[in-house]
Amino acid sequence: MDFSQAFSWMNIRFLLEGLLVTIEVSLVSIVFSFIIGGLIGIIRFTKVPYFSKIVGIITDIIRNLPLLLIIFFAYFALPQIGVRLSIFWSAVAALTIFESAMLSEIFRAGLNAVPKGQMEAGLSTGLSYVQTMATIVFPQAFKSMIPAIVSQLISLIKDTSLAVIISLPELTHNAKIIYGQNSNYVIPMFLAMTFFYFVVCYLLSLLSKYLESRQYNY
């Protein structure tokens, strides 16, 4: 079977447009997830009476929900309570909610892995709790968290494909349109998606290995 027409410049450009949307959604979600997940992780680590437990319960509930359900909620349920988001921002909101919960557990585990003596040593030198966290505990914890964080971010990029259900014009959505017009293009489009997802995720995995190697060099 001749697949050359499937890989015409028009189709490749359409796929690249979808890949760009995938990357845009991923980057915005990563930034929000990193900030929110970090804050949640710190709140759970500090064990603020009642508040930390409530945040922990909500986080555990989100972590055990299917991402697809959260996407449906962001796009179909939020408008019912007056919150109307575009397809792009619905996808970002859903991914941010889900990934923040996942990253918060990584942050919490990383902070718990730092010996308690580090916190005590910082406080004994006259630093405040916040200063000790920011300058002593968190930097040590973050080094050990890098591989897990990058792995989770790779999962986030792959999870953007689930937003095809709300017609986000990302890579999978655009590939689906192409092979929907010609059933002979199914295999070429799956090969193209495999290639693009692999390249992006593999580059991130290389970044993880590089950062991990730098960690052991210090």
Side-chain angles (χ1 to χ4, degrees):
M1 185 178 295
D2 184 13
F3 291 155
S4 59
Q5 291 185 354
F7 296 115
S8 66
W9 170 240
M10 183 179 296
N11 287 346
I12 294 298
R13 185 176 63 182
F14 193 52
L15 289 175
L16 289 174
E17 290 173 357
L19 179 61
L20 179 61
V21 173
T22 293
I23 293 173
E24 288 176 347
V25 170
S26 299
L27 288 176
V28 176
S29 301
I30 285 170
V31 172
F32 288 148
S33 299
F34 192 83
I35 296 171
I36 298 172
L39 290 174
I40 294 173
I42 292 172
I43 290 171
R44 297 190 67 185
F45 170 75
T46 54
K47 295 181 175 61
V48 180
Y50 301 109
F51 185 59
S52 292
K53 183 168 288 188
I54 293 172
V55 170
I57 291 172
I58 295 173
T59 301
D60 288 338
I61 291 173
I62 294 173
R63 289 176 61 238
N64 288 283
L65 291 177
L67 175 55
L68 193 59
L69 178 62
I70 299 175
I71 293 174
F72 276 135
F73 177 81
Y75 188 66
F76 294 108
L78 286 182
Q80 300 299 315
I81 58 175
V83 181
R84 299 186 181 278
L85 301 174
S86 66
I87 293 175
F88 180 92
W89 287 108
S90 293
V92 168
L95 287 167
T96 298
I97 291 170
F98 185 75
E99 297 301 331
S100 293
M102 294 297 186
L103 286 174
S104 70
E105 189 62 21
I106 295 174
F107 278 100
R108 186 179 71 87
L111 291 169
N112 281 329
V114 178
K116 292 182 179 179
Q118 296 294 310
M119 175 63 75
E120 295 170 355
L123 294 174
S124 67
T125 61
L127 294 175
S128 67
Y129 185 87
V130 174
Q131 289 173 326
T132 304
M133 278 289 294
T135 60
I136 298 177
V137 177
F138 192 80
Q140 292 183 62
F142 187 70
K143 288 182 180 180
S144 64
M145 290 188 278
I146 289 174
I149 289 174
V150 175
S151 177
Q152 189 60 44
L153 297 183
I154 290 173
S155 296
L156 185 153
I157 292 172
K158 292 183 287 188
D159 287 343
T160 58
S161 62
L162 293 175
V164 68
I165 199 69
I166 59 173
S167 299
L168 177 72
E170 43 75 56
L171 180 59
T172 302
H173 173 271
N174 286 9
K176 184 179 179 182
I177 289 178
I178 293 173
Y179 69 69
Q181 295 174 344
N182 189 330
S183 60
N184 291 326
Y185 293 171
V186 172
I187 293 178
M189 289 304 101
F190 273 85
L191 290 174
M193 284 190 291
T194 299
F195 172 76
F196 286 127
Y197 279 122
F198 172 78
V199 169
V200 174
C201 294
Y202 184 65
L203 289 175
L204 272 176
S205 67
L206 290 179
L207 174 62
S208 175
K209 291 177 181 178
Y210 171 73
L211 294 174
E212 195 172 357
S213 65
R214 284 179 59 87
Q215 169 190 340
Y216 289 118
N217 289 332
Y218 285 115

